[in-house]
Amino acid sequence: MRTLSTPPGPKGHLLGDNLREYARDPLGFLSGCAREYGDVVGLRFMSQNLYLLSDPGLIEYVLVENNRNFVKTRILKRNRRLLGDGLLTSEGEFWRRQRRLAQPAFHRKRVAAYGEVMVAFAERSLEAWRDGQTIDVHEEMMHLTLEIVAKCLFDADVGSRATDVGKAMKVALKDFSSQRRLVRIPRGVPTPRNIRFELAARRLDDIVRTIIEDRRKSREDRGDLLSMLMLAEDEGGGRMTDKQLRDEVMTLFLAGHETTANALSWTFWLLSQTPHAETRLAEELERVLGGRTPTVSDLPDLPYLGRVVKESMRLYPPAWVVGREAIAECEVGGYRMPAGTTALMSQWVMHRDPRYHDNPELFDPDRWTAEYAKALPRFSYFPFGGGPRQCIGAGFAMTEARLILATLAQRFRMDLAPGQRVEPYASITLRPKEGIRMRLVERSQRG
Ligand code: HEM
């Protein structure tokens, strides 16, 4: 190999190197590094070397072209207590088999069939909404998307446990970001934080166990993802163990609702801040649907709706960074990347890069013309990641987000509640730190 240098980067502190600055403000820190040092930035968090990659071609190299030389990062794997060896965290042949097993549940036709469930649950939320009422839109969306994923994939009704799941998720995500500390206390030590986390994890375990046990009791093949996973056999005729089943269900349960809830919450907030976009959306919905229930087949006739969701995920990508660890030494952007180095690729950084988007901070759904999307380099916009580990639920999420938005925005406009500060909280996902309190304004009833 040629002699290659290490990439430039910010000087670190003696203790923890760059971790302290990163932990204080992950979004600002990474954006600042990319602007100041370029497309490959060398960072060090304690004993871990990281390269922040901010060039679409380099991101494609890691996620697609050379994906076999990379695995998921240790930091994600440290969260085994919750996700176990599910689709998000497993590797190699085991992952490939599980992905093949789950794939049919995400087929386009299958997702289209889920459309009815998505709209039915959205309409059920509407029943409780009143003109002038203030809601926490993030809490509402978490509840709604959780019910939808549980019903579509596992034919389970979790409505009564949704608040429990919401609370547990909050604790788990806080726990994840606390791992950015210089001193990490092992899980086994009974600190208040560890106890809170363990209790939250047990609540989630309990819900997932109930879903699986209920299906076992009924012994029915309902043709949904849960039945597919339970009935699948490997070459030797063996079934998935209880632990494997638990890990897959938990992963889909968690990965399948919080991200979409975040996307919708950010979207409602951005619309409340951009009256002309809000009006355009309401007009499109009125013209195409005229008050009737939306269906999947309406979506191609609602182009502005699609652009709103795309633009919202550009500015507030629910998955704001992905990481991969190099198995063997390789070359990235002219620099030597030793084995064990983590490549960080941030949607937050890329989606706001002025090289790819004019006025990058502006919420402008109109920018998403077909030509605009076509002219963008592939990994300048990647809300669902890319390559073999691309989000399995991308089609599900896009269908769901648009149908929910169409159903709710047709009936109500949302105004930000007075005094509400909206701030992103970057844990595994990007969620509104203190929720988003919004006042509902019912659209005038048509004659
Ligand atoms: C707006 C909503 C969503 C966003 C932004 C999102 C984003 C992502 C991203 C970026 C990845 C790749 C992570 C990586 O490369 O390390 C991913 C993976 C994954 N997502 Fe999503 N996701 C969303 C919705 C969903 C839904 C609805 C489901 C399931 C119903 C889901 C299930 C998964 C699973 C299982 C993986 C792991 C796939 C694998 O490695 O084979 N996601 N998601």
Side-chain angles (χ1 to χ4, degrees), residues 72 87-88 95 99 255-256 259-260 322 324 383-385 389 391 397:
K72 295 277 176 130
L87 269 182
L88 201 60
W95 162 79
R99 174 107 186 184
T259 38
T260 317
V322 291
R324 292 291 188 277
F384 296 104
R389 304 303 298 254
C391 177

Side-chain angles (χ1 to χ4, degrees), residues 18 42 86 136 139 141 231 265:
N18 310 114
D136 179 340
E139 215 168 82
M141 294 304 111
L231 298 172
S265 309

